[in-house]
Amino acid sequence: MADNLFSSTDKQYYDNLIKKIKLCDKQYYIDDNPELNDADYDKLRQELTYIENKYPKWKSIDSPSAKVGYTVQDQFKKANHSKAMLSLANAFSIKDVAEFVNKIQKFLNINEFPKLCVEPKIDGVSFVAKYKNHEFYQGITRGDGKIGEDITENLKVISALPMKLTKNAPQELEVRGEIFISKEDFATLNKTQEENGNKIFANPRNAAAGSLRQLDTKVTANRNLQYFIYSVIADNFAVDQFLALEKIRNLGFNTNLHSKLACNISQLQSIFKSISEERFALPYDIDGMVYKINDFNLQDRLGEIARSPRWAIAHKFPAEEAKTKLEDIIIQVGRTGILTPVAILTPINLGGVIVSKASLHNEDEIKRKDIQIGDIVNIKRAGDVIPKITSVDLSRRKNTKLFIFPNNCPVCKSKVIKEEEEVAVRCIAEYSCKAQILGKLRHFVSIGGFNVEGLRDKQIEFLYDKNLIKSSYDIFTLEIRQNDTALKLENYPGWGKLSVNKLYKSINSSRNITLDKFIYALAIKHVGSNVSTLLAKHYTSINKLLTATNNLKDKDSAAYLELVNIDGIGNKIIAAIIKYFSIEDNMILVKNLTTELTINNYIISNINSKINGKIVVFTGSLSKTTRLEAKAKAEKAGAKVASSISSKTDYLVAGEGSGSKLSKAKKLNINIVTEEEWQNLL
């Protein structure tokens, strides 16, 4: 991704993006009333993925990179996907695309340009349609990527979607695509909504989503929904993406006829430029182009990472810019104590959204761009809910004043510090600053953590101010403590018996959680979703994790060496983990939580693999594959990839030029295998 998309290394900016996305998800998926237009919402999700790729230590289960879509709502039946529905990584320039191709070449150890299938990125709603014995039998929304909503009856009323297939179709077939409303139908729909005094939809994508998830199929039928298929799942259906689109089109499905093949970067540029210039004449909305490795065999080799495939990327159309006045600068304090300056702007309409704030990231960013209060600034929306200030119009500077960054936390008045190798200014009162405590509580109950519905920002702050919740443990004892108090929660303004009972139900339903999500919810510094998964995968149970944490201070202990040996966990993360578990109050909190919760062991899904649960180390040069691909395949088969040899290592895969690791493995009598023997194990 281009560096100018994210010029700051401010962790608080990342945390703010997560918070804003959660709000947008609620507005879009639950309220059907988004404030952010859909193209920019999608760009925001992609920017977060970029940030987490560049700063993996920040990666969080609570971000879009660990969550696809949304939580399934109660009014629809749940349906499992046969294969996870992933989202896409994001590119904002041809340079980003070139980097994407370069990574693929390195991963596959090839020099030639991999042929790409280029498809317009429809700004619609993802869906799945399943067929058996040539007949349609189930429709599912994307949901969270693993579980969606059963919309079978709603798909039946989309006239262009085949309900029966010809005999030359596979016996079992699954198609995936985007449902959308045309620009013309959207305008007509909103006109009708307005005339009938109903809600006006913010954009076509939102209208399509609301139409598709109607309990009354008559409403869906009247919305004239359309679709394009972009993916097929069937045995031996096609050898590549372009052929698959042609074959599925011949079976009666709609596919986008603007899809093309590209054999080099110049062709990609030409296709992108052509579609970009004519997209406003298209009858439907698109917000970019999707580039996919055309060869399915190469797609399988590349696999996926987190929520995105390695073999595809979305190339987004350029962002919009405008000028406005910077009225003031305020400071926000996040859960990690980072002080983030936020620009208060004279409101301006930018791309259909009223913008009144912009992130300034950190003190260095303000100095670097020479930003002063009262300036006329250029703002850019490249996917931000809170846009960026790109520059200052110095020719119009007058009567401005410098912003002085505070020496004390604006919330708790404690001293602030700038740690070594960080540009962020941080409040030192980690466990007493109200802003940080509330931030940790919000993080704990967030979608990526315990996902407690009805316990969001306002409710948490209210309960905290009333001394009803001071720690995450208090959440799970709230109901029983309320039974012993005279002033019931339901008697407070804004609360009622119905809402309180709903909250208790939500809390109780969240008492069962997986180990990786539990670790993430603890809000340990630098421990995001990737690290949480690595820790859960390695220790597998909460008891083993807690046993290990008792000896982490001793650098000669087996527990410390075991932690250091986990591939993907660096020194800064190790230090943060040790610090967290060395604080007695944290250990008491975790142990108390275990008495209220069921923390499920981490289970490797590939249980039939010979290397499932085994610890594997790679050394030397591999001839048949790259180390990156070898590690990815090992992890996919359930292995734990470590960075160094220990007595617990199960296999050392030794390539050419193996050195000290091979010598150590021989001394420890570790099972040493050649690359060929390793391939046989896989």
Side-chain angles (χ1 to χ4, degrees):
M1 296 297 167
D3 289 342
N4 63 1
L5 281 174
F6 187 67
S7 57
S8 168
T9 54
D10 186 350
K11 174 66 164 55
Q12 187 62 42
Y13 175 64
Y14 167 73
D15 292 335
N16 285 342
L17 285 180
I18 291 177
K19 181 178 178 181
K20 294 300 178 182
I21 287 176
K22 286 167 57 181
L23 176 60
C24 287
D25 281 343
K26 180 179 183 297
Q27 291 169 341
Y28 177 72
Y29 292 118
I30 309 301
D31 301 336
D32 284 329
N33 187 31
E35 294 181 3
L36 184 68
N37 73 54
D38 295 302
D40 286 338
Y41 168 80
D42 189 59
K43 291 177 185 178
L44 173 60
R45 291 169 61 95
Q46 302 301 334
E47 183 179 11
L48 276 180
T49 302
Y50 158 61
I51 293 170
E52 291 167 342
N53 286 338
K54 193 169 183 179
Y55 305 97
K57 64 184 180 182
W58 294 353
K59 199 163 188 177
S60 157
I61 294 175
D62 203 16
S63 79
S65 65
K67 174 180 175 289
V68 178
Y70 58 97
T71 303
V72 177
Q73 299 302 297
D74 292 339
Q75 62 263 39
F76 287 90
K77 292 181 180 178
K78 295 180 180 180
N80 294 318
H81 289 301
S82 61
K83 184 179 179 182
M85 293 192 75
L86 303 175
S87 188
L88 296 175
N90 201 24
F92 288 97
S93 68
I94 199 65
K95 179 184 175 183
D96 301 339
V97 177
E99 289 177 2
F100 160 73
V101 173
N102 185 52
K103 286 180 180 178
I104 286 173
Q105 290 172 321
K106 286 183 177 180
F107 190 97
L108 298 174
N109 195 25
I110 58 175
N111 294 320
E112 66 273 16
F113 186 95
K115 187 178 290 185
L116 298 175
C117 184
V118 184
E119 306 168 34
K121 187 177 183 301
I122 305 300
D123 196 15
V125 183
S126 295
F127 79 102
V128 171
K130 296 183 178 182
Y131 296 79
K132 194 169 186 178
N133 297 325
H134 306 123
E135 292 191 1
F136 171 75
Y137 73 92
Q138 189 177 37
I140 312 173
T141 63
R142 179 164 67 174
D144 65 3
K146 296 179 180 178
I147 300 174
E149 297 167 338
D150 190 315
I151 53 166
T152 302
E153 297 306 313
N154 297 56
L155 288 189
K156 286 180 179 179
V157 299
I158 299 179
S159 58
L161 186 69
M163 291 294 104
K164 289 187 177 183
L165 303 178
T166 57
K167 296 298 181 181
N168 62 326
Q171 286 289 106
E172 291 193 19
L173 175 73
E174 179 178 326
V175 295
R176 296 181 171 191
E178 292 281 321
I179 287 176
F180 62 92
I181 290 180
S182 71
K183 296 174 183 177
E184 183 179 354
D185 287 335
F186 173 69
T188 302
L189 172 61
N190 262 354
K191 183 178 179 181
T192 303
Q193 292 288 102
E194 186 176 11
E195 290 173 351
N196 294 334
N198 296 326
K199 180 184 68 175
I200 303 298
F201 291 103
N203 48 60
R205 181 186 176 192
N206 179 241
S211 303
L212 191 63
R213 297 170 62 243
Q214 291 287 329
L215 295 177
D216 184 355
T217 57
K218 292 180 181 178
V219 176
T220 306
N222 289 330
R223 296 285 171 84
N224 197 24
L225 296 179
Q226 301 179 50
Y227 75 92
F228 284 130
I229 298 301
Y230 60 72
S231 177
V232 184
I233 298 177
D235 291 338
N236 303 315
F237 187 75
V239 295
D240 61 50
Q241 173 70 7
F242 200 74
L243 178 60
L245 292 177
E246 181 183 347
K247 292 184 72 174
I248 201 68
R249 188 161 55 246
N250 291 336
L251 291 178
F253 292 94
N254 292 343
T255 64
N256 198 302
L257 298 179
H258 290 279
S259 300
K260 299 179 183 299
L261 287 175
C263 299
N264 53 54
I265 288 291
S266 296
Q267 288 182 2
L268 284 179
Q269 285 181 296
S270 177
I271 295 170
F272 184 83
K273 183 175 183 294
S274 174
I275 295 293
S276 178
E277 290 175 351
E278 68 177 75
R279 67 185 174 113
F280 297 104
L282 294 174
Y284 46 80
D285 281 341
I286 63 173
D287 56 2
M289 302 296 288
V290 176
Y291 307 145
K292 302 175 183 177
I293 294 295
N294 191 48
D295 189 311
F296 284 160
N297 180 51
L298 293 183
Q299 286 188 13
D300 289 339
R301 286 180 60 188
L302 287 162
E304 61 200 46
I305 180 169
R307 65 189 287 276
S308 304
R310 287 190 181 92
W311 45 266
I313 196 167
H315 188 179
K316 310 299 291 191
F317 292 128
E320 298 177 82
E321 296 189 48
K323 290 181 185 288
T324 190
K325 185 177 181 181
L326 194 160
E327 302 280 0
D328 198 4
I329 296 176
I330 62 172
I331 294 291
Q332 293 180 345
V333 183
R335 67 176 175 83
T336 60
I338 292 176
L339 277 62
T340 301
V342 176
I344 305 301
L345 307 169
T346 300
I348 185 172
N349 190 319
L350 184 59
V353 176
I354 302 300
V355 173
S356 59
K357 293 180 180 180
S359 174
L360 293 173
H361 309 316
N362 52 57
E363 183 180 15
D364 290 357
E365 182 85 347
I366 295 173
K367 292 178 179 178
R368 184 176 69 82
K369 293 181 177 177
D370 188 20
I371 296 171
Q372 298 182 17
I373 296 173
D375 271 332
I376 301 300
V377 295
N378 297 302
I379 58 174
K380 183 177 182 179
R381 302 186 70 247
D384 301 350
V385 175
I386 302 180
K388 296 185 181 77
I389 291 179
T390 58
S391 61
V392 175
D393 187 347
L394 295 176
S395 67
R396 302 178 65 177
R397 175 173 281 176
K398 60 180 181 179
N399 300 324
T400 61
K401 65 177 182 178
L402 292 173
F403 174 73
I404 308 300
F405 214 87
N407 294 318
N408 298 88
C409 173
V411 176
C412 70
K413 309 307 177 186
S414 297
K415 288 183 179 180
V416 297
I417 59 170
K418 183 182 286 189
E419 295 183 354
E420 189 177 351
E421 298 182 359
E422 282 195 5
V423 296
V425 174
R426 194 185 302 271
C427 168
I428 63 172
E430 182 177 358
Y431 295 102
S432 59
C433 175
K434 178 181 176 180
Q436 295 186 63
I437 294 171
L438 289 176
K440 287 180 174 63
L441 287 171
R442 294 183 187 111
H443 179 84
F444 186 86
V445 301
S446 65
I447 294 173
F450 281 78
N451 191 23
V452 181
E453 289 292 335
L455 198 55
R456 297 305 184 223
D457 294 4
K458 289 182 179 179
Q459 293 89 346
I460 287 173
E461 187 164 2
F462 173 84
L463 294 170
Y464 179 87
D465 289 339
K466 296 297 181 184
N467 291 314
L468 293 173
I469 290 179
K470 290 295 183 182
S471 74
S472 51
Y473 173 71
D474 294 336
I475 294 170
F476 298 102
T477 63
L478 177 63
E479 183 176 7
I480 194 168
R481 285 186 285 112
Q482 278 286 292
N483 292 333
D484 299 326
T485 183
L487 183 58
K488 302 290 185 183
L489 180 58
E490 62 197 58
N491 294 324
Y492 283 104
W495 293 86
K497 190 170 184 179
L498 188 63
S499 61
V500 170
N501 288 338
K502 189 175 180 180
L503 173 61
Y504 292 155
K505 182 181 178 181
S506 181
I507 290 172
N508 290 328
S509 66
S510 69
R511 290 178 185 269
N512 193 306
I513 193 168
T514 57
L515 179 61
D516 54 327
K517 285 197 169 189
F518 176 77
I519 295 171
Y520 169 78
L522 295 178
I524 303 171
K525 190 178 177 182
H526 303 313
V527 177
S529 64
N530 268 1
V531 177
S532 297
T533 301
L534 287 173
L535 292 171
K537 186 176 182 180
H538 183 82
Y539 293 108
T540 69
S541 73
I542 185 63
N543 290 334
K544 289 180 181 178
L545 173 63
L546 292 178
T547 299
T549 59
N550 291 329
N551 301 304
L552 289 180
K553 286 184 178 180
D554 182 3
K555 292 191 175 182
D556 294 323
S557 68
Y560 177 84
L561 296 175
E562 187 177 352
L563 176 62
V564 171
N565 194 38
I566 301 175
D567 191 49
I569 297 184
N571 292 333
K572 186 176 285 190
I573 299 172
I574 291 168
I577 293 170
I578 292 173
K579 180 181 177 182
Y580 181 88
F581 287 107
S582 66
I583 297 173
E584 186 178 0
D585 285 347
N586 288 341
M587 289 298 289
I588 292 172
L589 172 64
V590 173
K591 288 176 180 177
N592 284 342
L593 283 170
T594 62
T595 65
E596 293 288 335
L597 306 171
T598 298
I599 304 172
N600 298 303
N601 293 350
Y602 187 87
I603 299 173
I604 306 297
S605 58
N606 197 343
I607 57 175
N608 294 322
S609 167
K610 291 181 180 180
I611 62 169
N612 178 45
K614 303 296 184 183
I615 298 175
V616 181
V617 176
F618 291 88
T619 187
S621 300
L622 304 179
S623 60
K624 296 181 179 179
T625 185
T626 64
R627 289 268 288 274
L628 284 172
E629 185 175 0
K631 285 184 176 182
K633 284 184 176 180
E635 290 174 345
K636 188 175 182 179
K640 304 174 185 178
V641 178
S643 58
S644 59
I645 296 292
S646 74
S647 59
K648 293 189 176 182
T649 304
D650 293 296
Y651 293 103
L652 174 69
V653 182
E656 294 181 12
S658 300
S660 58
K661 290 180 182 178
L662 179 59
S663 300
K664 188 174 181 180
K666 289 178 179 178
K667 289 180 181 179
L668 294 175
N669 200 28
I670 302 299
N671 194 352
I672 301 170
V673 296
T674 65
E675 182 179 1
E676 185 176 350
E677 289 170 334
W678 173 249
Q679 292 294 334
N680 291 334
L681 277 174
L682 284 175

